[in-house]
Amino acid sequence: MSQPALLLAFDIVLLTTLLALALAAVLSPEPRRAVMLFIAFGLWLSLVWARLHAPDVALAEAAIGAGLGGALMLAAARRAARAAQRGTARRADDGAR
Amino acid sequence: MTAQFLYGGAGLILFVLGLWSFLVHAPLLRKLIALNIMGGGVFHVLIAVAYRGDGVTPDPVPHALVLTGIVVAVSATALALVLGARLQDEQRQG
Amino acid sequence: MTEPADWARSDRARERARDLSLLLAVLLALLGVVLLAVYFLALNGGAAPRLAELALARVPQSGVGNPVTAVLVNYRAYDTLVELAVLLAAVLGIWSQRPAPPGFQRSSAVLAGMVSWVVPLLIVTSGYMLWVGGYAPGGAFQAGALLGAAGVIVRLAGDPTAGLPGEAVQRWLLVLGVLMFALVGLALMLLGAGFLTYPPKLAKWLILLIESAATIAIGTALAAAYVGGRPSAKGQGPSAGEASAAPSSSSLGPRP
């Protein structure tokens, strides 16, 4: 295979994985899993941007978008999971009564 | 040109995907993830437009815009999460 | 008696929600096709004049070697100034909502040992990132993000303040970026240049000054955003120690 064709194949693999990660993050109903997938999406996005000769932006996305944004959302997902647990516990109580 | 179209097109698809999820899913966290994916799509289009082929220095202006955008997006996300937590607490008490 | 009716209603509601989401998916797919077509046409429309040539040609006069840093802190300095103000506004919004929730439990010796290695490393890397931003990928945002990440790690290891100083000092650190930017701009105005129009001789040092202040402000703001509330002084309001047993549920404390 010639070099442009190889590069095109590489581009297509990069983009397919990116879209698949985004789709998985959007479709996952479980908050913690969704956040994990979102972090993976952000890191992959920064990889794609490095391929597009944007290393400054790739660094910022990896550190701020995926890293700090992910940390913030993980804390929120933990809270959401705990609230959901409390909710089901309460519903079970109501059912028993 | 092909690469520019492929990458920009992927950004547009990400934008639409995020918009759909934002409209369809109710929980705040899922809405925020959708919003961030929408933003990621917009940034992606800008980066693809700035890309001018290998061996050519890319356009630095969209890069600077995206850098600014990333920080603003994360600060908006942080504020939205705190507002959501506050709302949850109020609902539990009231 | 009411249960079957409830079930039927929720079934119907769920069906309606599914229909709606399908309808939206179709509509948005159409929107996506239109966007793709417009993008394709715009790409094929030939090369419009771009800012890139102008921006790249002026880099030697901007005082830094990295074109992205030049755009951020020199040509489009207003953007960055206002962006720092947005970050500050977000932290103010977070502080106005609630006091800081209590931290996590103290880390074990292994994690604490790792943290005592990683955090200084992050701070040193942040300084490197700030300096290297002058001529290579890097700069104030990436450096600030590393500082913020150090704060997140410290908080995860059990320090509820994320290693940030008290509220009074924190306020100064938060406004430092905007303040330094505005002061440099106003000083330049007094000297006869325009607001934030750096004279080429001084540009390098002014940019370094602004970027250092911005790094500290961004790092503080990101760490404060992760703390997620106003750092209440000891003995006032619900503090970290009070609610250690049931973290988030009692973080708001008793309400009148």
Side-chain angles (χ1 to χ4, degrees):
Chain A
M1 268 212 275
S2 62
Q3 214 189 349
L6 267 179
L7 200 60
L8 188 67
F10 177 62
D11 286 346
I12 288 173
V13 171
L14 270 182
L15 288 178
T16 322
T17 316
L18 184 73
L19 291 177
L21 278 174
L23 194 66
V26 154
L27 289 182
S28 159
E30 211 270 308
R32 209 170 309 198
R33 211 173 93 124
V35 174
M36 291 289 184
L37 284 165
F38 174 73
I39 295 174
F41 165 79
L43 290 175
W44 198 268
L45 197 59
S46 78
L47 204 63
V48 176
W49 290 349
R51 150 76 180 94
L52 289 178
H53 298 281
D56 292 87
V57 194
L59 271 174
E61 167 67 21
I64 305 183
L68 281 161
L72 283 166
M73 283 187 184
L74 264 185
R78 184 166 145 266
R79 207 168 41 228
R82 203 184 293 137
Q85 227 170 25
R86 243 195 320 266
T88 48
R90 197 177 304 140
R91 224 169 296 140
D93 279 0
D94 290 351
R97 223 171 277 143
Chain B
M1 187 59 94
T2 327
Q4 217 175 22
F5 180 68
L6 271 182
Y7 280 98
L12 291 175
I13 294 173
L14 283 178
F15 176 80
V16 172
L17 181 69
L19 185 58
W20 174 75
S21 173
F22 182 76
L23 291 174
V24 166
H25 296 128
L28 175 78
L29 192 64
R30 293 188 78 179
K31 274 198 193 298
L32 280 178
I33 289 178
L35 204 61
N36 272 295
I37 284 180
M38 262 172 91
V42 174
F43 299 154
H44 202 67
V45 174
L46 279 172
I47 300 278
V49 170
Y51 174 72
R52 303 188 295 171
D54 298 310
V56 188
T57 320
D59 192 341
V61 180
H63 286 186
L65 294 183
V66 173
L67 262 177
T68 312
I70 289 174
V71 178
V72 170
V74 106
S75 55
T77 305
L79 182 58
L81 284 173
V82 170
L83 285 175
R86 173 80 189 271
L87 199 62
Q88 208 182 25
D89 285 345
E90 299 271 323
Q91 275 169 349
R92 198 179 306 136
Q93 284 172 5
Chain C
M1 275 303 256
T2 56
E3 265 194 6
D6 275 355
W7 273 110
R9 190 172 336 126
S10 71
D11 262 3
R12 218 176 307 137
R14 207 171 300 141
E15 236 166 60
R16 202 176 305 145
R18 203 192 310 127
D19 289 350
L20 190 64
S21 87
L22 271 179
L23 179 66
L24 273 172
V26 172
L27 283 179
L28 289 175
L30 286 177
L31 175 70
V33 170
V34 172
L35 283 176
L36 280 175
V38 170
Y39 182 63
F40 185 69
L41 289 178
L43 273 187
N44 277 346
R50 308 188 62 139
L51 283 172
E53 278 72 30
L54 196 61
L56 292 172
R58 292 296 187 91
V59 165
Q61 283 160 273
S62 70
V64 286
N66 179 2
V68 178
T69 309
V71 175
L72 268 177
V73 200
N74 200 333
Y75 318 145
R76 297 188 65 92
Y78 277 54
D79 274 18
T80 312
L81 169 61
V82 176
E83 187 226 335
L84 288 173
V86 167
L87 199 56
L88 182 63
V91 174
L92 288 183
I94 289 171
W95 278 14
S96 71
Q97 285 307 309
R98 55 174 189 177
F104 302 97
Q105 65 179 25
R106 283 269 158 206
S107 56
S108 63
V110 178
L111 181 61
M114 199 197 84
V115 167
S116 68
W117 271 97
V118 167
V119 167
L121 200 64
L122 275 173
I123 293 171
V124 171
T125 316
S126 159
Y128 167 76
M129 209 49 121
L130 172 65
W131 180 255
V132 88
Y135 53 89
F141 293 111
Q142 293 86 343
L146 287 178
L147 277 188
V152 170
I153 290 179
V154 169
R155 183 167 158 87
L156 281 176
D159 181 349
T161 64
L164 292 169
E167 191 182 333
V169 184
Q170 228 181 99
R171 286 172 182 229
W172 282 103
L173 293 182
L174 283 172
V175 297
L176 193 60
V178 180
L179 192 68
M180 189 63 80
F181 234 126
L183 281 181
V184 168
L186 290 176
L188 286 171
M189 270 174 96
L190 286 182
L191 291 177
F195 185 71
L196 290 176
T197 311
Y198 316 120
K201 265 187 203 162
L202 278 177
K204 180 179 176 183
W205 300 107
L206 289 180
I207 287 177
L208 189 63
L209 189 68
I210 289 175
E211 285 219 293
S212 313
T215 300
I216 293 173
I218 292 170
T220 313
L222 290 175
Y226 187 70
V227 170
R230 182 170 177 172
S232 42
K234 267 181 195 154
Q236 282 178 12
S239 67
E242 203 174 296
S244 57
S248 78
S249 62
S250 58
S251 65
L252 260 174
R255 295 196 147 266

